CSV table of all heavy atoms in Angstrom, one decimal:
chain,number,residue,atom,x,y,z
A,347,GLY,N,-36.0,7.6,-36.8
A,347,GLY,CA,-36.6,7.5,-38.0
A,347,GLY,C,-37.8,6.5,-38.1
A,347,GLY,O,-38.5,6.5,-39.2
A,348,VAL,N,-38.0,5.7,-37.1
A,348,VAL,CA,-39.2,4.8,-37.1
A,348,VAL,C,-40.4,5.6,-36.5
A,348,VAL,O,-40.2,6.1,-35.3
A,348,VAL,CB,-38.9,3.5,-36.3
A,348,VAL,CG1,-40.2,2.7,-36.2
A,348,VAL,CG2,-37.8,2.8,-37.0
A,349,GLU,N,-41.4,5.8,-37.2
A,349,GLU,CA,-42.5,6.6,-36.7
A,349,GLU,C,-43.1,5.9,-35.5
A,349,GLU,O,-43.3,4.7,-35.5
A,349,GLU,CB,-43.5,6.7,-37.8
A,349,GLU,CG,-44.6,7.8,-37.5
A,349,GLU,CD,-45.6,8.0,-38.7
A,349,GLU,OE1,-45.2,7.7,-39.8
A,349,GLU,OE2,-46.7,8.5,-38.4
A,350,HIS,N,-43.5,6.7,-34.5
A,350,HIS,CA,-44.3,6.1,-33.3
A,350,HIS,C,-45.7,6.1,-33.6
A,350,HIS,O,-46.4,7.2,-33.7
A,350,HIS,CB,-43.9,7.0,-32.1
A,350,HIS,CG,-42.5,6.9,-31.7
A,350,HIS,ND1,-42.0,7.6,-30.7
A,350,HIS,CD2,-41.5,6.3,-32.3
A,350,HIS,CE1,-40.6,7.4,-30.6
A,350,HIS,NE2,-40.3,6.6,-31.5
A,351,PRO,N,-46.3,5.0,-33.7
A,351,PRO,CA,-47.8,4.8,-33.9
A,351,PRO,C,-48.6,5.6,-32.8
A,351,PRO,O,-48.1,5.8,-31.7
A,351,PRO,CB,-48.1,3.3,-33.8
A,351,PRO,CG,-46.8,2.7,-34.1
A,351,PRO,CD,-45.8,3.6,-33.5
A,352,GLU,N,-49.8,6.0,-33.1
A,352,GLU,CA,-50.7,6.6,-32.2
A,352,GLU,C,-50.8,5.9,-30.9
A,352,GLU,O,-50.9,6.5,-29.8
A,352,GLU,CB,-52.0,6.9,-32.9
A,352,GLU,CG,-52.8,8.0,-32.3
A,352,GLU,CD,-52.1,9.3,-32.0
A,352,GLU,OE1,-51.4,9.8,-33.0
A,352,GLU,OE2,-52.1,9.8,-30.9
A,353,TRP,N,-50.9,4.6,-30.9
A,353,TRP,CA,-51.2,3.7,-29.8
A,353,TRP,C,-49.9,3.3,-29.1
A,353,TRP,O,-50.0,2.5,-28.1
A,353,TRP,CB,-52.0,2.4,-30.2
A,353,TRP,CG,-51.5,1.9,-31.6
A,353,TRP,CD1,-52.0,2.1,-32.7
A,353,TRP,CD2,-50.3,1.1,-31.7
A,353,TRP,NE1,-51.2,1.4,-33.7
A,353,TRP,CE2,-50.2,0.9,-33.2
A,353,TRP,CE3,-49.3,0.6,-30.9
A,353,TRP,CZ2,-49.2,0.1,-33.7
A,353,TRP,CZ3,-48.2,0.0,-31.5
A,353,TRP,CH2,-48.1,-0.4,-32.8
A,354,TYR,N,-48.8,3.8,-29.5
A,354,TYR,CA,-47.5,3.4,-28.8
A,354,TYR,C,-47.5,3.9,-27.4
A,354,TYR,O,-47.7,5.0,-27.2
A,354,TYR,CB,-46.3,3.9,-29.7
A,354,TYR,CG,-45.0,3.7,-29.0
A,354,TYR,CD1,-44.6,2.5,-28.5
A,354,TYR,CD2,-44.0,4.7,-29.1
A,354,TYR,CE1,-43.2,2.4,-28.0
A,354,TYR,CE2,-42.7,4.6,-28.5
A,354,TYR,CZ,-42.4,3.4,-28.0
A,354,TYR,OH,-41.1,3.2,-27.5
A,355,MET,N,-47.1,2.9,-26.5
A,355,MET,CA,-47.2,3.3,-25.1
A,355,MET,C,-46.3,4.5,-24.7
A,355,MET,O,-46.7,5.1,-23.7
A,355,MET,CB,-46.9,2.1,-24.2
A,355,MET,CG,-45.5,1.5,-24.3
A,355,MET,SD,-45.0,0.5,-23.0
A,355,MET,CE,-46.3,-0.7,-22.9
A,356,TRP,N,-45.2,4.6,-25.4
A,356,TRP,CA,-44.3,5.8,-25.0
A,356,TRP,C,-44.4,6.8,-26.1
A,356,TRP,O,-43.4,7.6,-26.3
A,356,TRP,CB,-42.9,5.2,-24.8
A,356,TRP,CG,-42.6,4.8,-23.5
A,356,TRP,CD1,-43.4,4.9,-22.4
A,356,TRP,CD2,-41.4,4.1,-23.0
A,356,TRP,NE1,-42.8,4.4,-21.2
A,356,TRP,CE2,-41.5,3.8,-21.6
A,356,TRP,CE3,-40.2,3.6,-23.7
A,356,TRP,CZ2,-40.6,3.2,-20.8
A,356,TRP,CZ3,-39.3,3.0,-22.9
A,356,TRP,CH2,-39.4,2.8,-21.5
A,357,LYS,N,-45.5,7.0,-26.8
A,357,LYS,CA,-45.7,7.9,-27.9
A,357,LYS,C,-45.2,9.3,-27.5
A,357,LYS,O,-44.5,10.0,-28.2
A,357,LYS,CB,-47.1,8.0,-28.3
A,357,LYS,CG,-47.5,9.2,-29.2
A,357,LYS,CD,-47.7,8.7,-30.6
A,357,LYS,CE,-48.1,9.9,-31.5
A,357,LYS,NZ,-47.2,10.0,-32.7
A,358,ASP,N,-45.6,9.9,-26.3
A,358,ASP,CA,-45.2,11.2,-25.9
A,358,ASP,C,-44.4,11.3,-24.8
A,358,ASP,O,-44.4,12.2,-23.9
A,358,ASP,CB,-46.6,12.0,-25.7
A,358,ASP,CG,-47.3,12.2,-27.0
A,358,ASP,OD1,-46.7,12.5,-28.1
A,358,ASP,OD2,-48.6,12.0,-26.9
A,359,HIS,N,-43.7,10.1,-24.5
A,359,HIS,CA,-42.8,10.0,-23.4
A,359,HIS,C,-41.6,11.1,-23.5
A,359,HIS,O,-41.0,11.3,-24.5
A,359,HIS,CB,-42.1,8.7,-23.5
A,359,HIS,CG,-41.5,8.2,-22.2
A,359,HIS,ND1,-42.3,7.9,-21.0
A,359,HIS,CD2,-40.3,7.8,-21.8
A,359,HIS,CE1,-41.5,7.5,-20.1
A,359,HIS,NE2,-40.3,7.4,-20.5
A,360,GLU,N,-41.5,11.8,-22.3
A,360,GLU,CA,-40.3,12.8,-22.3
A,360,GLU,C,-39.0,12.0,-22.3
A,360,GLU,O,-38.8,11.2,-21.3
A,360,GLU,CB,-40.5,13.7,-21.1
A,360,GLU,CG,-39.6,14.9,-21.1
A,360,GLU,CD,-39.7,15.8,-19.9
A,360,GLU,OE1,-40.8,15.7,-19.3
A,360,GLU,OE2,-38.8,16.5,-19.7
A,361,TYR,N,-38.1,12.3,-23.2
A,361,TYR,CA,-36.9,11.5,-23.4
A,361,TYR,C,-35.8,12.2,-22.6
A,361,TYR,O,-35.5,13.4,-22.6
A,361,TYR,CB,-36.5,11.5,-24.9
A,361,TYR,CG,-35.3,10.7,-25.1
A,361,TYR,CD1,-35.1,9.4,-24.8
A,361,TYR,CD2,-34.2,11.4,-25.9
A,361,TYR,CE1,-34.0,8.8,-25.0
A,361,TYR,CE2,-33.1,10.7,-26.2
A,361,TYR,CZ,-33.0,9.4,-25.8
A,361,TYR,OH,-31.8,8.7,-26.1
A,362,ASP,N,-35.1,11.2,-21.8
A,362,ASP,CA,-33.9,11.7,-21.1
A,362,ASP,C,-32.7,10.9,-21.6
A,362,ASP,O,-32.5,9.7,-21.4
A,362,ASP,CB,-34.1,11.3,-19.6
A,362,ASP,CG,-32.9,11.5,-18.7
A,362,ASP,OD1,-31.8,11.9,-19.2
A,362,ASP,OD2,-33.0,11.2,-17.5
A,363,PRO,N,-31.9,11.6,-22.3
A,363,PRO,CA,-30.8,10.9,-23.1
A,363,PRO,C,-29.7,10.3,-22.1
A,363,PRO,O,-28.9,9.5,-22.6
A,363,PRO,CB,-30.2,11.9,-24.0
A,363,PRO,CG,-30.5,13.2,-23.4
A,363,PRO,CD,-31.8,13.0,-22.7
A,364,ASP,N,-29.7,10.7,-20.9
A,364,ASP,CA,-28.6,10.2,-20.0
A,364,ASP,C,-29.1,9.2,-19.0
A,364,ASP,O,-28.5,8.8,-18.0
A,364,ASP,CB,-28.0,11.4,-19.2
A,364,ASP,CG,-26.6,11.1,-18.8
A,364,ASP,OD1,-25.9,10.2,-19.3
A,364,ASP,OD2,-26.2,11.7,-17.7
A,365,PHE,N,-30.4,8.7,-19.2
A,365,PHE,CA,-31.0,7.8,-18.2
A,365,PHE,C,-30.2,6.4,-18.1
A,365,PHE,O,-30.1,5.8,-17.1
A,365,PHE,CB,-32.4,7.4,-18.6
A,365,PHE,CG,-33.0,6.6,-17.5
A,365,PHE,CD1,-33.6,7.2,-16.3
A,365,PHE,CD2,-33.2,5.2,-17.6
A,365,PHE,CE1,-34.2,6.4,-15.4
A,365,PHE,CE2,-33.9,4.4,-16.7
A,365,PHE,CZ,-34.4,5.1,-15.6
A,366,TYR,N,-29.5,6.1,-19.2
A,366,TYR,CA,-28.7,4.8,-19.2
A,366,TYR,C,-27.1,5.3,-19.2
A,366,TYR,O,-26.3,4.5,-19.6
A,366,TYR,CB,-29.0,3.9,-20.3
A,366,TYR,CG,-30.4,3.5,-20.2
A,366,TYR,CD1,-31.4,4.0,-21.0
A,366,TYR,CD2,-30.8,2.4,-19.2
A,366,TYR,CE1,-32.7,3.6,-20.9
A,366,TYR,CE2,-32.1,2.1,-19.1
A,366,TYR,CZ,-33.0,2.7,-19.9
A,366,TYR,OH,-34.4,2.3,-19.7
A,367,MET,N,-26.9,6.6,-18.8
A,367,MET,CA,-25.5,7.2,-18.6
A,367,MET,C,-24.8,7.2,-19.8
A,367,MET,O,-23.5,7.4,-19.8
A,367,MET,CB,-24.8,6.4,-17.5
A,367,MET,CG,-25.6,6.5,-16.1
A,367,MET,SD,-24.8,5.5,-14.8
A,367,MET,CE,-26.2,4.4,-14.5
A,368,SER,N,-25.5,7.2,-21.0
A,368,SER,CA,-24.8,7.3,-22.3
A,368,SER,C,-24.1,8.6,-22.5
A,368,SER,O,-23.0,8.6,-23.1
A,368,SER,CB,-25.9,7.0,-23.4
A,368,SER,OG,-26.6,5.9,-23.2
A,369,GLU,N,-24.7,9.7,-22.0
A,369,GLU,CA,-24.1,11.0,-22.1
A,369,GLU,C,-22.9,11.1,-21.2
A,369,GLU,O,-21.9,11.6,-21.5
A,369,GLU,CB,-25.1,12.1,-22.0
A,369,GLU,CG,-26.3,12.0,-23.0
A,369,GLU,CD,-25.8,12.0,-24.4
A,369,GLU,OE1,-25.0,12.9,-24.8
A,369,GLU,OE2,-26.3,11.2,-25.2
Side-chain angles (χ1 to χ4, degrees):
V348 175
E349 196 180 332
H350 294 179
E352 199 51 50
W353 39 259
Y354 173 45
M355 63 160 54
W356 273 351
K357 168 108 178 121
D358 296 315
H359 199 64
E360 192 180 336
Y361 178 57
D362 172 1
D364 204 27
F365 187 80
Y366 299 101
M367 298 174 245
S368 308
E369 301 302 313

